[in-house]
Amino acid sequence: MKVTIISISIALLTLLSTGCSSQRKPVSQHQGAYAPQGGITIHNAIGVLDATYSPWSDVEMPVRLQLSSPKSVSISGKAVMVRDKEIYLSFRMLGFEVASVYMNTDSVYAADKYHKVMFAESLTAVTGKLGVTIGNIQDMLTGRAFSIDSKKGETDWERHMTLKQNPSDPNSFILTPKRMPQEFDYSFILDVIDGIPAVDMLSVTPNGREAICCKYSGLKSTPCGMIMQQGAFSAEINDTPVNATIKWDLGGAKWNTGKKAPWRQPKGYTRLDRQNIIEIFKSL
């Protein structure tokens, strides 16, 4: 376990900081309560999508993170998210916390308790001056569409986003921002599941780099609207393919209880920088 714990934590962190093909997913068990009569069209898809997103203040739920490339590792734990403010992932083995990832509106941390090493940077240093918010990252993790121009988890879809038919699949749509950032392109593929539109894939292409993609599956209804139970991320970091999957146990989720992230910055740890992380990946 020389580098696996910090590697799996940093894998998720790196995927969030920054050529995919869409495949049809199997139909979920959702009963289609949001589905309009007459079906989903280019004219009503965004409105129906928005209706499936209910506001939330906080959530605590079990999570599993699996790294399949460059090394195969799987680890379970707990997640706490406060809407637009905090993301906390605590990973455990034999009942003990071995690694954690924490993000707030200012900073990003990843700590490996087994080897007493940590990564700490400002959110701006990790994401660049892109305007990416904690709310955007929360939406990314849970399979919800978003616009980086939006504030506090609310998207003015008509103002910020454009919807068009997917030329390679007449049963799906492509959702893109009207104002694309200078540093990268991003878009969502919307599939129709049980009569409602849902995010099938997110693709982010930084300038001069390979695309970072997330393929979603497991659409599920929760007290706070529709959430995806799984997101499979793929990226390439310094010519090293990285594939990681995050799985949410939504059956064990507790919503809107006033929960806060129990993060405490560790002391006496060796601090890693981005170059150290790249070397870790090269060593796997």
Side-chain angles (χ1 to χ4, degrees):
M1 196 166 60
K2 183 177 180 182
V3 297
T4 55
I5 299 301
I6 190 63
S7 297
I8 201 168
S9 300
I10 298 301
L12 176 62
L13 174 66
T14 309
L15 287 170
L16 293 178
S17 70
T18 48
C20 306
S21 61
S22 177
Q23 299 177 347
R24 301 286 291 178
K25 67 169 72 64
V27 175
S28 75
Q29 299 300 311
H30 175 57
Q31 298 301 309
Y34 300 97
Q37 292 185 351
I40 297 299
T41 70
I42 192 75
H43 304 292
N44 66 11
I46 290 184
V48 177
L49 179 72
D50 186 59
T52 68
Y53 295 168
S54 301
W56 55 278
S57 61
D58 58 89
V59 63
E60 178 182 14
M61 57 184 164
V63 62
R64 174 174 286 273
L65 185 62
Q66 294 176 315
L67 186 68
S68 57
S69 176
K71 194 164 186 173
S72 180
V73 184
S74 180
I75 191 169
S76 298
K78 177 183 69 174
V80 175
M81 293 191 284
V82 179
R83 186 58 169 157
D84 297 312
K85 295 181 180 179
E86 295 180 298
I87 299 171
Y88 172 67
L89 305 174
S90 173
F91 301 111
R92 294 178 175 273
M93 285 186 175
L94 302 176
F96 296 95
E97 184 180 66
V98 292
S100 60
V101 176
Y102 176 72
M103 306 180 190
N104 60 24
T105 56
D106 296 319
S107 304
V108 178
Y109 303 91
D112 177 357
K113 286 192 172 182
Y114 186 80
H115 299 99
K116 294 191 179 301
V117 294
M118 69 177 294
F119 173 89
E121 282 287 0
S122 68
L123 182 63
T124 300
V126 173
T127 64
K129 298 179 180 180
L130 308 177
V132 176
T133 68
I134 291 296
N136 296 154
I137 297 174
Q138 290 168 341
D139 289 335
M140 181 194 306
L141 290 172
T142 54
R144 289 186 167 187
F146 60 87
S147 166
I148 63 171
D149 289 328
S150 301
K151 305 298 181 183
K152 297 293 184 182
E154 298 179 358
T155 297
D156 185 335
W157 299 104
E158 291 188 2
R159 178 183 177 187
H160 294 143
M161 307 295 283
T162 297
L163 186 72
K164 64 181 180 181
Q165 208 81 39
N166 187 351
S168 62
D169 182 355
N171 297 310
S172 66
F173 306 90
I174 299 176
L175 186 65
T176 56
K178 290 184 177 179
R179 186 183 68 86
M180 197 70 75
Q182 292 183 352
E183 295 85 356
F184 65 96
D185 293 348
Y186 71 102
S187 63
F188 302 89
I189 293 180
L190 305 184
D191 206 353
V192 178
I193 306 173
D194 292 352
I196 63 171
V199 175
D200 176 69
M201 179 178 288
L202 165 64
S203 178
V204 180
T205 307
N207 293 340
R209 294 168 58 186
E210 295 293 327
I212 300 169
C213 297
C214 184
K215 173 77 171 172
Y216 297 100
S217 59
L219 183 66
K220 186 176 178 62
S221 180
T222 76
C224 296
M226 305 305 295
I227 298 290
M228 287 294 187
Q229 298 179 83
Q230 178 173 308
F233 292 85
S234 61
E236 191 170 286
I237 302 174
N238 278 50
D239 298 324
T240 300
V242 179
N243 294 282
T245 300
I246 189 164
K247 298 181 179 181
W248 305 109
D249 180 1
L250 294 176
K254 300 176 182 178
W255 297 89
N256 303 331
T257 64
K259 186 72 175 181
K260 303 294 183 184
W263 165 259
R264 295 291 183 273
Q265 184 172 342
K267 297 181 179 180
Y269 280 37
T270 300
R271 184 165 173 172
L272 302 178
D273 58 24
R274 280 174 169 265
Q275 188 58 41
N276 297 139
I277 295 168
I278 292 171
E279 292 303 319
I280 287 175
F281 275 106
K282 288 181 178 180
S283 71
L284 294 179

